[in-house]
Amino acid sequence: GAYVPIDPSYPAERVAFILDDAQPVVVLTQPHLEATLPASSAQLVRLDADAAAIAAQPVTPPVSGVGLTNLAYLIYTSGTTGTPKAVAVEHGQLLQVLHASQTTFGYQATDVQPWLASVAFDIAVFELVNPLIAGGTVVIQTQAQILDLPQLVADLQGWTLLHAVPSLLRQIVEQARQVTVPRAFAGLRRIWVGGDAVPPELLADTLVVFPQAELVVLYGPTEGTIICACHVVDPDKLPTRQLIGRPLPNAQLRLYDAHGQLVPLGVAGELYLGGGSVTRGYLHRPELTAEKFVTIDSQRWYRTGDRARYLPDGTLEFLGRTDAQVKIRGYRIEVGEVEAALAQHAAVREAVVMARADGGDLRLVAYVVEEQNPEDSADPGSRFLVLGSSLRQFLLDKLPPYMVPSAFVVLESLPLSANGKVDRKALPAPEQSSRAAGAAYVAPETEAERILCEIWVAVLRLEQVGVHDNFFSLGGDSILSIQVIARANQAGLRLTPKQIFQHQTIAELAAVADTTSLVVAEQGLVTGTAPLTPIQQHFFAQDLPTPQHFNQAVLLQASERLDPAALEQALQQLLLHHDALRLRFQPSESGWTQEHAAPDEQPVLTTIDLHALPDAELAAALEAATTEIQARLNLQTGPILRAGLFELGVKQPQRLLIAVHHLAVDAVSWPILLEDLESAYSQARSGAAIALPPKTTAFKQWAERLYTYATSPDLLAELPFWQAVAQQPVVALPVDIPTGANLLATSATVTVRLSVEETRELLHEVPNAYQTQIAEVLLTALALALNSWTGSTALRVDLEGHGREDLFADIDLSRTVGWFTALYPLLLSVDPAADPG
């Protein structure tokens, strides 16, 4: 019986193809993977669920009758035509390679080697079987263990053998540099590296970190059964080029030119592989087998497609590929298969895929020309960008993750050479044709796109925004999204917070924006009582000694001389327009209550003249005056908004302080208030009647709807869950010197500043790489830091949200002033061994 390994990470389409192509009689699986398997006629054996039945079978080896020419396994590799192909490996061919490996590398019974390769990668057989044949030990490593580099390198101190593809070996070397224990890796006697092109600098770095180990470069195509050649690196004569080395005892290597003639020393040719390890060929692909497996001088040879030449000492040097096949992270990839998959997308007219290094690790880059619509006059390359991440997802549904390009470049047309073929050398590096999230600037076309572009420029404080730029990649967040909604509604575009999260580009958002207003809000004066919202109840439950002094304030610098009378008029208009600014709070036996007071027109602006003070006393006087204004807020009699206009002399501009009790304002409210204040002041200064934009849903109506929602049976059913989260034990932070009370007065702040470039990478590149928001990245960092500090694998934090949840279709809070903050517990489980990503 031959086996066919299938990586569980493969997309369903590829798994279905392999099962249909190979037609296995039995599929070995586990219950948690069974649901991902397509329907087939194969018998399912569930290795864990059926463990009892399996254990009941005889333990004596069966007499299989297997001979050298029987099939041992199939390995599916990438195909140039867009279809994977299975390489059929016989027992005799595998035996040849194992025997040659034992002879060449001298395995010992004391050897310990980790099994790092994917089971679907044929080098896994090399890693697993060779040490066991010699009586040695193989340590199986899960994907999570491989990604935990510190632990992997720590374990390496107990291993004698290591095989790794170049990209993994580079990370191991960099991590091992940090180990300061003398001779920590003295037991590591041999390192193999292969499966991909090996940069000479990696060989040099490896020998610096592991000087006691023999370093061996491996070479071999799957069609030649794992490996067929190797090069033992001489520490005193490090190679400056990529070497294949010399053939193993089981293999023969020859170089032929395009006419089938052997080439002399130093001349490049295609590498042919002969000997007992050349495999049977490709399953169900007789034409391809005949093309790649040829007979010369009565002997069977495999055409590798690799270009090479002999150096004077007989060592083979690798010169590249004769076709477009590449190896990335040890996986052989026919770029034609990736191109064929891209071509199946309805929006793709042409696609070229190539491997690029561009100063870093080798990666796949896709170049795409869009299928043009004759009725659409927009730039074809830019229109394609509407697909965004969906193109990547399209490929993930068809190809293994290692075959999905890491970058996509959209071109109006592919560059051609003089003979009409694609000029791959003229294809630009991704960085030269990318913008922000990989998109070129595309100007707005429709009125809705134009309005949204102007709003994003203003809210995000950017010079330019294109219709395919991603809101969150540009630095947007949930609070800024509320400002976008408010401004859009003012401009006649109806949006919801959910739509901004679902449609993150202007092109997508403009397509779903509604030009009709669905929410009718009370435009008159709102009065009467309102229930306390949850965050307001939380505030009063703390029983603060001076609750009136819990406020938010801004200190503004005037760009021109302000008229106190016009300013007072504008502030009074804010009290009329934004009803929460007239809230009054009264204590009672059952708790605090809130009510909207009628306008009383008591002045809220105070003018303070400090221009006669010496410069040395000015800062202290300004601070004392602002503190005094904030302390005069009165929850019961009002006002809960006060302002101070400071005259600092002719040489300094005026300052304007606005203080509002937190019970009536939050971070989202301030842009609304300041925008309306500027508008109202300009109108009052010119003598015009003040007219502000239409109101959205009143704070009173929101509080009433939220109270009903919070006391509904559906929501009350969630209460045990939230209580369980909130009651999780919290590990106390270790302190050097106990100071007693945990107060603000005993706290200290450590400030670390990031550079502009670091900030840009953190805000834009990291969220793009992990498809997260910045808060999730910061929470991960916090959890890992506290885990390192306390050793606790659980972290409970209280998170704040803006609270303007999209709960009711007939509620619009985009221009409503009030305290809407939501506060909720979040429990994070930290696995120190897991990859931070």
Side-chain angles (χ1 to χ4, degrees):
Y3 76 86
V4 185
I6 299 179
D7 192 319
S9 69
Y10 282 175
E13 184 173 322
R14 192 177 185 88
V15 174
F17 172 84
I18 292 175
L19 291 178
D20 181 67
D21 187 60
Q23 289 293 311
V25 178
V26 174
V27 172
L28 307 179
T29 186
Q30 294 167 293
H32 74 277
L33 297 174
E34 187 175 341
T36 65
L37 288 171
S40 74
S41 58
Q43 175 190 353
L44 285 183
V45 175
R46 301 161 185 86
L47 292 174
D48 41 3
D50 298 339
I54 295 172
Q57 299 299 317
V59 296
T60 53
V63 180
S64 66
V66 168
L68 296 178
T69 58
N70 287 114
L71 195 64
Y73 61 83
L74 300 175
I75 289 286
Y76 276 84
T77 67
S78 178
T80 54
T81 61
T83 303
K85 55 184 184 292
V87 178
V89 181
E90 297 175 353
H91 282 273
Q93 295 145 13
L94 178 58
L95 183 63
Q96 288 267 3
V97 172
L98 294 174
H99 183 267
S101 299
Q102 295 289 320
T103 303
T104 303
F105 302 123
Y107 287 83
Q108 302 171 7
T110 55
D111 279 332
V112 180
Q113 180 174 352
W115 190 15
L116 304 178
S118 163
V119 69
F121 187 17
D122 63 351
I123 199 68
V125 181
F126 175 88
E127 291 183 358
L128 175 67
V129 179
N130 271 314
L132 299 181
I133 290 177
T137 301
V138 175
V139 182
I140 300 174
Q141 298 287 292
T142 66
Q143 186 68 11
Q145 290 172 314
I146 296 171
L147 293 175
D148 184 2
L149 280 173
Q151 186 59 51
L152 184 68
V153 170
D155 293 338
L156 185 59
Q157 299 178 39
W159 297 334
T160 64
L161 306 174
L162 173 70
H163 171 267
V165 294
S167 57
L168 178 58
L169 181 59
R170 178 181 288 110
Q171 297 179 59
I172 291 173
V173 168
E174 292 302 319
Q175 183 66 40
R177 287 184 193 273
Q178 304 175 30
V179 178
T180 58
V181 179
R183 296 183 53 79
F185 307 102
L188 185 63
R189 65 185 189 88
R190 181 177 293 112
I191 299 173
W192 294 279
V193 57
D196 202 347
V198 184
E201 61 269 23
L202 175 59
L203 299 176
D205 291 343
T206 302
L207 286 174
V208 168
V209 177
F210 305 108
Q212 80 293 337
E214 181 185 68
L215 182 57
V216 183
V217 178
L218 299 180
Y219 169 85
T222 302
E223 289 83 347
T225 313
I226 313 174
I227 58 170
C228 62
C230 73
H231 173 72
V232 179
V233 180
D234 183 353
D236 299 322
K237 190 179 179 182
L238 292 173
T240 58
R241 57 194 81 190
Q242 295 180 10
L243 300 178
I244 291 173
R246 300 172 183 271
L248 294 180
N250 64 295
Q252 294 176 277
L253 298 176
R254 289 183 181 178
L255 295 176
Y256 288 88
D257 64 15
H259 305 288
Q261 302 295 315
L262 289 169
V263 300
L265 187 73
V267 177
E270 182 181 0
L271 185 62
Y272 282 50
L273 167 63
S277 65
V278 177
T279 59
R280 181 186 295 181
Y282 301 115
L283 183 70
H284 308 320
R285 307 285 289 278
E287 297 85 4
L288 188 59
T289 299
E291 175 188 344
K292 293 292 186 180
F293 295 83
V294 297
T295 301
I296 302 176
D297 299 332
S298 302
Q299 184 177 341
R300 202 158 173 268
W301 297 81
Y302 169 68
R303 299 180 56 183
T304 67
D306 288 332
R307 293 177 65 250
R309 66 176 176 180
Y310 277 107
L311 298 178
D313 65 352
T315 301
L316 277 166
E317 177 189 4
F318 177 76
L319 299 175
R321 291 288 302 170
T322 61
D323 53 22
Q325 186 186 96
V326 295
K327 270 193 174 183
I328 294 180
R329 296 186 302 278
Y331 292 99
R332 194 178 71 184
I333 300 171
E334 296 279 5
V335 295
E337 182 176 357
V338 186
E339 292 171 350
L342 274 171
Q344 296 174 32
H345 198 287
V348 175
R349 177 159 57 93
E350 294 180 272
V352 169
V353 177
M354 65 181 297
R356 301 187 67 109
D358 296 317
D361 288 336
L362 200 65
R363 62 172 179 162
L364 280 186
V365 178
Y367 298 87
V368 181
V369 177
E370 184 200 14
E371 187 64 61
Q372 295 186 21
N373 180 353
E375 298 179 357
D376 195 336
S377 59
D379 181 329
S382 59
R383 284 200 313 272
F384 171 81
L385 292 172
V386 176
L387 298 172
S389 59
S390 65
L391 181 62
R392 187 182 304 277
Q393 186 59 52
F394 178 79
L395 292 181
L396 283 170
D397 292 338
K398 295 179 172 294
L399 303 172
Y402 67 83
M403 292 181 66
V404 176
S406 60
F408 295 86
V409 178
V410 182
L411 303 173
E412 292 188 20
S413 61
L414 297 175
L416 302 178
S417 62
N419 60 9
K421 295 183 178 181
V422 175
D423 185 359
R424 293 177 179 264
K425 293 182 179 180
L427 292 169
E431 292 74 16
Q432 297 171 354
S433 59
S434 62
R435 177 179 183 271
Y441 169 74
V442 182
E445 292 189 344
T446 67
E447 180 65 9
E449 289 178 348
R450 184 191 64 77
I451 292 172
L452 289 174
C453 278
E454 292 178 356
I455 292 173
W456 283 24
V457 165
V459 171
L460 298 172
R461 300 181 181 181
L462 300 172
E463 294 182 1
Q464 186 185 66
V465 172
V467 297
H468 300 309
D469 290 335
N470 185 286
F471 179 72
F472 297 98
S473 296
L474 294 177
D477 55 32
S478 58
I479 289 181
L480 292 178
S481 72
I482 299 294
Q483 297 183 34
V484 170
I485 292 168
R487 297 186 183 215
N489 289 353
Q490 284 182 252
L493 295 178
R494 164 74 179 167
L495 294 173
T496 67
K498 184 180 295 184
Q499 286 174 324
I500 292 186
F501 278 88
Q502 291 176 336
H503 309 282
Q504 297 180 7
T505 67
I506 285 175
E508 297 172 353
L509 203 56
V512 299
D514 195 345
T515 56
T516 61
S517 178
L518 302 179
V519 176
V520 178
E522 172 59 56
Q523 298 301 307
L525 202 65
V526 174
T527 58
T529 61
L532 294 176
T533 62
I535 194 66
Q536 289 176 321
Q537 293 184 35
H538 174 69
F539 168 76
F540 286 116
Q542 297 178 71
D543 196 21
L544 299 175
T546 54
Q548 75 278 6
H549 208 318
F550 189 77
N551 58 275
Q552 293 189 336
V554 294
L555 185 64
L556 308 172
Q557 177 174 299
S559 58
E560 60 182 47
R561 294 291 300 173
L562 295 177
D563 178 358
L567 187 55
E568 175 69 43
Q569 188 180 349
L571 290 168
Q572 291 293 337
Q573 190 63 37
L574 290 187
L575 297 177
L576 291 173
H577 191 79
H578 297 293
D579 306 291
L581 300 179
R582 290 180 283 103
L583 283 170
R584 303 292 184 265
F585 301 87
Q586 304 295 336
S588 67
E589 293 183 1
S590 59
W592 287 76
T593 62
Q594 68 178 339
E595 182 175 3
H596 293 82
D600 55 15
E601 296 188 0
Q602 60 174 311
V604 295
L605 177 66
T606 303
T607 300
I608 301 99
D609 191 349
L610 302 177
H611 83 276
L613 292 177
D615 291 345
E617 300 177 14
L618 197 56
L622 182 62
E623 182 179 353
T626 57
T627 301
E628 192 272 336
I629 290 174
Q630 295 177 68
R632 288 168 53 202
L633 300 179
N634 193 307
L635 294 180
Q636 299 181 45
T637 63
I640 59 172
L641 178 152
R642 285 193 178 274
L645 181 62
F646 296 91
E647 299 285 356
L648 305 180
V650 293
K651 294 183 179 180
Q652 290 202 48
Q654 296 165 301
R655 301 290 199 277
L656 174 63
L657 172 79
I658 304 175
V660 186
H661 198 281
H662 200 351
L663 284 165
V665 75
D666 59 13
V668 179
S669 301
W670 279 107
I672 302 169
L673 285 175
L674 296 178
E675 187 175 293
D676 283 358
L677 176 62
E678 184 175 13
S679 174
Y681 174 78
S682 297
Q683 296 174 65
R685 180 77 179 269
S686 65
I690 298 177
L692 296 177
K695 291 182 176 184
T696 52
T697 303
F699 181 78
K700 178 177 183 291
Q701 184 182 355
W702 164 259
E704 292 167 345
R705 292 291 295 276
L706 190 62
Y707 179 82
T708 302
Y709 176 72
T711 55
S712 65
D714 288 345
L715 216 60
L716 288 176
E718 296 183 6
L719 186 58
F721 167 82
W722 290 107
Q723 288 175 327
V725 174
Q727 292 167 3
Q728 286 287 329
V730 178
V731 176
L733 298 179
V735 295
D736 297 319
I737 304 173
T739 57
N742 183 21
L743 303 173
L744 283 175
T746 60
S747 68
T749 299
V750 177
T751 301
V752 178
R753 296 186 66 87
L754 302 182
S755 68
V756 173
E757 179 61 20
E758 289 170 329
T759 303
R760 184 192 64 78
E761 292 176 351
L762 179 65
L763 288 180
H764 301 303
E765 294 190 11
V766 173
N768 276 336
Y770 292 107
Q771 297 299 299
T772 62
Q773 295 183 52
I774 186 60
E776 295 166 318
V777 177
L778 297 178
L779 278 171
T780 300
L782 176 65
L784 292 174
L786 288 177
N787 166 257
S788 175
W789 186 13
T790 68
S792 174
T793 58
L795 170 67
R796 197 197 74 209
V797 294
D798 288 341
L799 288 188
E800 277 193 11
H802 58 66
R804 298 167 191 248
E805 312 301 342
D806 193 13
L807 299 176
F808 316 107
D810 58 342
I811 294 289
D812 177 8
L813 302 173
S814 60
R815 277 189 46 79
T816 305
V817 170
W819 192 12
F820 291 86
T821 301
L823 190 67
Y824 55 97
L826 175 69
L827 188 67
L828 298 172
S829 297
V830 182
D831 179 3
D835 175 72

